[in-house]
Each structure stands twice: as C-alpha cells, then as structure tokens.
Amino acid sequence: MWRTAVSDRLFLGRRALRAAMGALAAGALVLTGCTTNTEETGPSVAKVQVEKVDEIAAQLPDKIKQSGELVVGVNVPYQPNEYKDASGRIVGFDVDLMDAVASVLGVKAEYVESAFEKIIPAIQAGTYDVGMSSITDSKEREQQVDFTTYFKAGVQWAQQKGKPVDPENACGKKVAVQATTVEHTEEVPAKSAKCVAEGKPAIDIKPFDEQSAATNALVLGQVDAMSADSPVTAYAIKQSGGKIETAGPVFDSAPYGWAVPKGAPLAAVLQKAVQHLIDNGKYLEITKNWGVQEGAITTSVINGAVS
C-alpha cells in the first residue's frame, strides 16, 4: 500500500519509503523463524476461470490488441499480493486479478520485474502498459499517472494470540515494523511521540529489513506487536497457524490502483474489466482465495485518491 523509495517520495508525496517488501515464508515462519524470498510452502490457489468479453476487449488500444499482450511492471516480493513461488514464477492476489482482467480483454498479462521507484517513470515513458505493485492511489501520484482502483488497504496491527495490545496505547511495548515503511517512518513513531508527550514510555520500535523477519519476531514472542499494511498482516495471520491475531481495527485506508499514462484510454478499459469481474462475482472469489476479502471494493473508479 504505502510503497515507495526515497526518490519516489521526493516527488510523489508523503507515502512511505519502501524499496521492497520481504516475503512471509509460511513453513519457516511457524517452525523455525527463518525467512526466504519465495514461498515454497505457500497456499495452492486455483485460478478463477474468466471468459473474454468482446464488448470490453474491443475498446483496448490498437497496440495492445495487435501484440496480444498487456505489459505489466511489478515489484516483488510483497506477499500475498505479488511474490515469486518456489519455481520463480510471479504469483499472488494482484497477479490473479490482473490475469482475470487480461482474460476479459482477450490478451495475456506479461509481468516484468522492476524496482518499485522506477515503475511510475517507466509508465510515463511507455515502457510498461500498466504498473501493478500494490500502489496507493494518492493525489500526489495522480499528478504523474492515472489510476484504476481495484482494492482498499490500510494499516493493521497484529499481536500474539491472547496477548492483547492496543495500537493507540502501546507505550513501552516492543513493536516490529519493516524498515523504511510508513509504519516505521511515520505511523508508529507518531504514536510513540504521543506516549512521550503524555509522560509515558516511548514505543520500542524494532525495524527489520524484511517483513518476514518482523512477522517471525512476533510469532516467536520477541516483540509484543507488529504494524504492517492490512493485506500483509491478514496474510501473516493466516500463515501463522493461529499464533498471531489482529490487534485493533484497520485504519488509514486508501485505494490501490493500477497505474497507466496520464490521459490514457486504457484506464477506462481496465475499469470496465474489473467492474465486470466485481459484478459477476469473480473478483470476490479471487479475493477470498487469497484471504484478502476485507479489502474488496464494490466499485472501481479512475483516480479515487482520498489524500
């Protein structure tokens, strides 16, 4: 959600500094606390079958129609949205949804790995047709590209099972975050500063290079809580075998969007395709397959930023 790197932040606004989210290694997470960049024991998620819709496909730009490919720039890993499985194939919720959209349009989605901070400039340069990497649709980014919204995410804390932590009163607690995320640079520090201003102990913020390591620290009881993007936390909880649970509600929600060049007709075509999937139930099926249905939307819009 709040993904960007330093150069991205300078011209795109206040979103967090995130070069890449680490993987959440399921078996290793529960059994040993080790981390990897692939999910060798991750869930086997069946593809949802989707038919081409000629009326929508006919509206694709000629370049994409003729090539039969939708070139998608993506940064991995960021589980469960986009990451590599044990075979090196890029998979995830975002991938399944984009594949479904491509099926509606009668083309194939071709995924090209990119550094996160290079995706939007590459969209502007015409290198990719679409940028798909859990990108928050923000007012700042809308000055650079257009977005077709497809999901809603926020910040979500987690705690050890049966050991409650209040995110609004975590003074003196050890809280794990991934380094350079908005949770590390803004959200948890702001909460800690409030503690200090009230004469209470500061939050002991524990940054980790990868999200998997932050999750492992919570599973193993090395920290009291963790803060991460809501789909990431939901997935970590699902993969933890009941060892961790949510702590408080999701907050600071904002839409994810697929980025396309400013003024490009592709934005409306993508919007019609994903709305078709929402209306026929395939979209919700895909979100449920990945356990991220809490972020499901009912209406896709173009440029739906809330801030």
Side-chain angles (χ1 to χ4, degrees):
M1 174 187 174
W2 311 107
R3 299 175 59 177
T4 174
V6 175
S7 59
D8 194 15
R9 180 186 175 91
L10 291 176
F11 69 87
L12 290 176
R14 85 165 188 86
R15 302 312 179 194
L17 315 174
R18 192 195 308 266
M21 287 291 289
L24 299 172
L29 183 151
V30 175
L31 299 175
T32 68
C34 297
T35 66
T36 67
N37 286 327
T38 60
E39 175 128 358
E40 298 181 8
T41 57
S44 177
V45 177
K47 285 284 189 179
V48 173
Q49 297 304 307
V50 174
E51 299 295 328
K52 180 182 178 182
V53 179
D54 291 334
E55 181 182 352
I56 303 175
Q59 300 173 49
L60 273 172
D62 287 340
K63 171 179 170 287
I64 298 173
K65 281 184 194 174
Q66 292 168 7
S67 70
E69 289 185 345
L70 191 66
V71 181
V72 182
V74 60
N75 174 253
V76 295
Y78 190 49
Q79 291 171 298
N81 296 346
E82 49 264 328
Y83 64 98
K84 288 184 178 179
D85 65 13
S87 70
R89 186 169 57 100
I90 297 176
V91 297
F93 160 66
D94 275 359
V95 175
D96 279 3
L97 183 58
M98 182 59 75
D99 283 347
V101 165
S103 293
V104 170
L105 300 175
V107 297
K108 175 181 173 56
E110 183 68 30
Y111 299 101
V112 181
E113 273 193 83
S114 170
F116 184 81
E117 69 272 15
K118 294 181 179 179
I119 291 176
I120 286 178
I123 291 293
Q124 293 174 305
T127 305
Y128 310 135
D129 299 314
V130 184
M132 180 208 78
S133 202
S134 305
I135 305 172
T136 300
D137 176 2
S138 69
K139 295 292 187 184
E140 294 89 351
R141 285 176 173 154
E142 285 178 3
Q143 296 175 21
Q144 308 295 323
V145 291
D146 287 335
F147 288 96
T148 297
T149 64
Y150 66 94
F151 193 73
K152 183 176 69 175
V155 178
Q156 174 75 72
W157 281 41
Q159 63 196 21
Q160 282 198 305
K161 187 78 172 179
K163 297 182 179 180
V165 174
D166 179 1
E168 298 305 319
N169 187 22
C171 307
K173 300 288 188 182
K174 294 179 181 178
V175 179
V177 293
Q178 185 188 354
T180 74
T181 61
V182 74
E183 290 85 3
H184 178 211
T185 62
E186 298 181 28
E187 182 252 327
V188 182
K191 286 180 168 65
S192 182
K194 182 173 180 290
C195 290
V196 173
E198 294 174 350
K200 300 175 183 177
I203 295 174
D204 186 1
I205 303 171
K206 301 293 187 184
F208 293 85
D209 288 341
E210 293 188 347
Q211 179 59 42
S212 54
T215 302
N216 290 342
L218 179 59
V219 168
L220 299 174
Q222 297 168 349
V223 296
D224 301 299
M226 78 169 190
S227 180
D229 285 5
S230 55
V232 174
T233 298
Y235 188 71
I237 290 169
K238 182 179 178 181
Q239 297 297 91
S240 75
K243 294 181 181 295
I244 63 176
E245 62 186 3
T246 58
V250 175
F251 54 92
D252 287 348
S253 291
Y256 282 168
W258 294 316
V260 300
K262 200 73 185 166
L266 182 58
V269 180
L270 293 173
Q271 187 273 332
K272 290 174 183 176
V274 74
Q275 190 63 51
H276 171 76
L277 295 171
I278 291 171
D279 294 342
N280 71 10
K282 298 291 188 179
Y283 168 87
L284 188 59
E285 186 178 348
I286 294 168
T287 65
K288 287 181 176 178
N289 281 352
W290 288 97
V292 298
Q293 62 269 24
E294 287 188 9
I297 61 173
T298 57
T299 304
S300 171
V301 301
I302 298 172
N303 294 337
V306 296
S307 63

